Amino acid sequence: MPDNNGNNQNNNDDDEYEKYCYLCRRPESEAGPFIRMPGNMYICNDCMQKSFDSFNNGAMQFLDLSKMPNINMSQFMPFDDIPTSQKVKKKKKQKEEKEQKPLTMADVPAPHKIKAMLDEYVVGQEYAKRAMSVAVYNHYKRVITDTMDDIEIEKSNMLMLGPTGCGKTYLVQTIAKILQVPLAITDATTLTEAGYIGDDVESILSKLLAVADNDVEKAERGIVFIDEIDKITRKGENVSITRDVSGEGVQQALLKILEGTEASVPPQGGRKHPQQEFFHINTTNILFICGGAFDGLDKIISSRIDKKSIGFNADIADPTEQNIGELFKQALPQDFVKFGLIPEFIGRVPVTVALDLLDEEALKEILTRPKNAITKQYQKLLSLDGVKLDFEDGAITEVARLSNERKTGARGLRAILESSMMKYMYELPSREDVTECIITKDVITGEGEPKLLAAGKEVPALEEKQEEPEKKESESA
């Protein structure tokens, strides 16, 4: 539509192409908002400010424009032929960038519903799932209602302990997925005390802020999982005369963040600089979950609860009798202090969640029952190539037995399957004559080949199929 000067206006913000500055040729996404001049000419704020500064210093000649930054004089053209946009596609704004609706109690399922959702993904660990469901529900009930009148409810930060591969990280990831809150997973081994080489503890919050798309309000109700927390313990019970900057120093630096404080976080993460701007994040409503294998803690607990009785009728306890998970459930604050965590840190993670060591039966269920079980992932991959994949019970049992024997927990299941399936994942997509593949126990042990079927009839194994072209070549020669 023409304006008073007879010029066509194009104020459609949904235009497919970006506008660019007539002087410096920068697009609007890079230079910021433009000033519209007559004749559909646009000038960025930087160029306009430089022009005003030059006028204030005296008369300005046209050639003085060449002294301004980003100006290319060869780009100028007749005034009537000024294009209003350049062929740079706009970054379309996501319609999902609508205002985030505030978290309400209707968005947080009851503890029994949280546990039921966890059951769909996590096998076993009944005690841990119940404890986490209650702690997470109470935490978000505290955050959402915010009616603390004369009774102030404290945060229910958690300390998860269990052997490697028992599902600590997976439990936290599933909880965050259920509640649809931002989750930052970080490793305590990279942290050091402020002023030393390494990441400051505020870098944890930088990751959470990045996951929340730099939305401070959203980040302030997120979850932070600090893994390998047992690796920052003191090197001994005695106080050291030298600074322990990656151990006790990190624990002390975490105290205020765990409890609740106003933290200054660099926008892009990394080290702090005096001149840079900071995001200010209040950690009072952020749920912190710390996890670790705590190798050796079971011996500390055993020595505390061991009955030192003497005589013919004394009870002699077998050290292999108790599951390591059962021992972890009996852990007390003094056990953690003896292990190397400082008392102030233990006081800020009041909820202790112990996970059991997965036995062979649990590992078999993990392979087949959850929604995203490992065997289902392989079946999905091969189904995209038109091959139906099945696992015999003997193969599942053998994978679970090997993982249990290696003491690697659920994490070792994929490693065993990867080594057993690599050859067939490589060959089967090119076998057009195969429609079904059955993995047997011999495939897992490396003593045999899978059963390959086409229309219900067995077809030659992979090696036999590969040798046929070579035989034909030798016969023709």
Side-chain angles (χ1 to χ4, degrees):
M1 181 178 179
D3 59 8
N4 296 333
N5 298 324
N7 298 317
N8 290 327
Q9 290 184 346
N10 183 14
N11 293 327
N12 186 8
D13 289 337
D14 296 329
D15 187 9
E16 188 178 8
Y17 298 110
E18 283 197 80
K19 301 176 180 65
Y20 69 98
C21 176
Y22 178 63
L23 297 178
C24 68
R25 287 319 205 227
R26 290 185 297 169
E28 191 173 14
S29 60
E30 181 182 338
F34 284 168
I35 299 169
R36 187 174 181 276
M37 307 296 287
N40 283 341
M41 183 172 70
Y42 299 93
I43 299 178
C44 69
N45 289 332
D46 292 339
C47 290
M48 186 63 76
Q49 185 61 49
K50 291 290 182 183
S51 301
F52 286 146
D53 293 342
S54 299
F55 281 126
N56 291 335
N57 294 331
M60 181 180 178
Q61 300 296 326
F62 181 75
L63 291 177
D64 290 342
L65 289 172
S66 62
K67 300 176 184 177
M68 293 171 58
N70 302 317
I71 299 296
N72 185 355
M73 298 299 292
S74 64
Q75 296 287 337
F76 287 105
M77 56 191 69
F79 188 78
D80 294 334
D81 299 328
I82 299 171
T84 59
S85 62
Q86 62 180 357
K87 300 296 181 182
V88 177
K89 290 278 183 116
K90 278 186 178 179
K91 293 180 182 176
K92 297 196 175 179
K93 293 184 180 178
Q94 301 278 343
K95 290 186 179 178
E96 302 167 357
E97 287 183 2
K98 297 176 182 174
E99 291 185 1
Q100 296 281 341
K101 65 173 185 176
L103 201 65
T104 63
M105 284 304 297
D107 300 322
V108 182
H112 71 280
K113 291 183 179 178
I114 296 176
K115 184 188 176 296
M117 294 176 189
L118 287 173
D119 287 338
E120 295 180 5
Y121 296 93
V122 182
V123 172
Q125 310 296 2
E126 295 298 315
Y127 170 79
K129 286 188 285 192
R130 285 176 181 272
M132 289 191 72
S133 300
V134 172
V136 167
Y137 179 75
N138 286 341
H139 172 75
Y140 281 100
K141 187 161 57 174
R142 164 188 177 271
V143 171
I144 293 166
T145 56
D146 197 23
T147 54
M148 300 307 171
D149 304 334
D150 55 338
I151 301 176
E152 185 176 349
I153 303 175
E154 295 183 356
K155 267 204 301 185
S156 51
N157 293 327
M158 283 182 270
L159 179 63
M160 299 177 69
L161 51 154
T164 181
C166 65
K168 298 185 290 293
T169 306
Y170 190 60
L171 265 172
V172 178
Q173 288 174 331
T174 310
I175 284 276
K177 190 189 304 180
I178 290 170
L179 297 176
Q180 295 183 344
V181 294
L183 166 68
I185 299 177
T186 188
D187 199 329
T189 55
T190 63
L191 302 176
T192 56
E193 193 176 344
Y196 291 85
I197 298 299
D199 292 335
D200 294 341
V201 291
E202 283 84 0
S203 65
I204 297 171
L205 301 177
S206 295
K207 292 180 181 178
L208 181 64
L209 192 62
V211 173
D213 297 325
N214 287 340
D215 185 341
V216 174
E217 186 178 346
K218 188 177 178 182
E220 285 180 348
R221 60 172 187 262
I223 299 176
V224 173
F225 180 58
I226 308 175
D227 202 4
E228 307 293 350
I229 201 70
D230 55 322
K231 305 300 187 295
I232 60 167
T233 54
R234 288 188 295 193
K235 302 302 180 280
E237 291 185 66
N238 299 326
V239 179
S240 175
I241 59 172
T242 58
R243 292 187 73 86
D244 185 8
V245 297
S246 61
E248 185 179 351
V250 176
Q251 293 184 52
Q252 292 169 349
L254 283 169
L255 296 181
K256 273 298 174 189
I257 290 180
L258 291 174
E259 187 177 16
T261 187
E262 191 84 18
S264 299
V265 180
Q268 305 299 328
R271 309 293 293 180
K272 292 183 177 180
H273 303 288
Q275 287 79 22
Q276 69 183 151
E277 296 180 0
F278 296 104
F279 285 106
H280 296 283
I281 299 180
N282 192 330
T283 64
T284 305
N285 292 330
I286 297 176
L287 179 64
F288 287 90
I289 304 175
C290 303
F294 287 89
D295 187 25
L297 180 65
D298 53 326
K299 296 175 184 176
I300 295 173
I301 300 170
S302 297
S303 63
R304 176 176 55 81
I305 65 176
D306 191 18
K307 295 179 181 178
K308 305 289 185 182
S309 54
I310 301 174
F312 292 105
N313 296 323
D315 294 330
I316 301 174
D318 184 359
T320 61
E321 236 174 53
Q322 278 188 298
N323 185 347
I324 189 171
E326 293 299 322
L327 281 173
F328 281 165
K329 289 174 187 174
Q330 303 178 54
L332 295 177
Q334 57 262 38
D335 298 324
F336 292 109
V337 173
K338 195 168 185 180
F339 187 80
L341 295 177
I342 61 176
E344 299 92 330
F345 184 87
I346 293 299
R348 285 165 174 79
V349 281
V351 181
T352 302
V353 180
L355 281 78
D356 297 318
L357 180 65
L358 298 171
D359 58 12
E360 194 170 315
E361 288 301 315
L363 292 172
K364 286 169 65 176
E365 284 194 55
I366 289 171
L367 280 167
T368 55
R369 189 165 68 82
K371 277 188 174 182
N372 55 346
I374 305 171
T375 54
K376 292 179 182 177
Q377 295 177 33
Y378 280 102
Q379 288 169 341
K380 177 67 176 177
L381 287 170
L382 281 179
S383 68
L384 298 174
D385 295 311
V387 179
K388 182 184 177 185
L389 179 66
D390 289 314
F391 290 86
E392 290 186 349
D393 291 340
I396 297 294
T397 303
E398 183 63 17
V399 174
R401 186 192 68 79
L402 287 172
S403 182
N404 190 47
E405 192 177 89
R406 298 175 185 179
K407 303 295 181 186
T408 51
R411 192 174 283 114
L413 296 174
R414 178 172 286 280
I416 295 168
L417 276 176
E418 282 287 344
S419 62
S420 301
M421 294 288 298
M422 178 66 70
K423 174 183 174 184
Y424 312 111
M425 296 295 288
Y426 177 78
E427 294 288 346
L428 286 175
S430 60
R431 289 286 300 265
E432 296 180 0
D433 58 330
V434 176
T435 58
E436 187 175 357
C437 175
I438 301 173
I439 302 298
T440 63
K441 178 182 176 181
D442 291 338
V443 175
I444 305 301
T445 58
E447 298 172 355
E449 297 295 324
K451 296 176 183 176
L452 303 179
L453 305 175
K457 296 181 180 179
E458 195 163 346
V459 297
L462 297 177
E463 285 84 3
E464 296 174 11
K465 189 72 179 175
Q466 288 172 343
E467 288 173 2
E468 286 178 5
E470 295 177 4
K471 289 179 181 178
K472 289 180 180 178
E473 286 177 9
S474 60
E475 288 172 3
S476 61

